[in-house]
Amino acid sequence: GGFDLWPRPAPFSCVFQTFSKRESDRLVQAGDRVCVEACAKESGMDSCFDVIIFAAPRQADELRAEVAQALDRLVDNGLFLCGAPRNAGGMRLEKTLSEAGLLDVQKDSRHHCRIAWGRKPDAAKTGRQEKARLESWKQLGRVAQNDSGYFSCPGLFGWDRVDQGSALLIESLPGGLSGTVGDFGCGYGFLSVQ
């Protein structure tokens, strides 16, 4: 919603990777379809998008998982374009798309950001190694138990451990807290449990 994509030939189907009510409302007012999951299944097809414009997340495992899921929704020879700030994962985009098996992967940089794009190969021409890699990438995005015993997934801050700031805060909290407590932006819930 923060990019001026208007005017454009047709409405977008917008899948929110992270939710913003203001952006959602702006897109709906422009005639776009906003949903939480990719809408391809409703058309009776597994993949139905000719172009996917993807806002790449910072965390590497989350990026791989979301790329693999997005490519399931892209038609053969469809264009996949993604972007991110250079200091928030943008430098790995070209390599990630190449590893995903996209063809003719290219990149460009401007304004401290990087974009990369490529075309999805025909399913019949996709190698076994690329298919296996994409299936393993999808698993990276699943909720699983982390080393601290909590259920979490890539994309949450400190998803695979107790971060130093939370550990320090726990040491500093007074004992005997009571009443109604709000833990906003609580990640996987470590502070709430403590």
Side-chain angles (χ1 to χ4, degrees), residues 151-164:
F151 287 90
S152 183
C153 65
L156 293 175
F157 177 76
W159 70 277
D160 59 346
R161 67 193 178 286
V162 175
D163 68 277
Q164 291 177 342

Side-chain angles (χ1 to χ4, degrees), residues 21-68:
K21 178 80 167 94
R22 184 177 60 219
E23 288 185 11
S24 174
D25 289 348
R26 180 175 177 210
L27 292 165
V28 169
Q29 288 171 358
D32 295 319
R33 178 170 189 207
V34 178
C35 51
V36 177
E37 294 184 20
C39 314
K41 297 270 183 196
E42 295 174 11
S43 68
M45 300 166 49
D46 284 337
S47 40
C48 70
F49 296 112
D50 298 309
V51 177
I52 292 179
I53 302 170
F54 179 80
R58 175 187 293 257
Q59 206 281 331
D61 286 341
E62 181 184 20
L63 170 64
R64 291 182 187 108
E66 289 187 6
V67 164

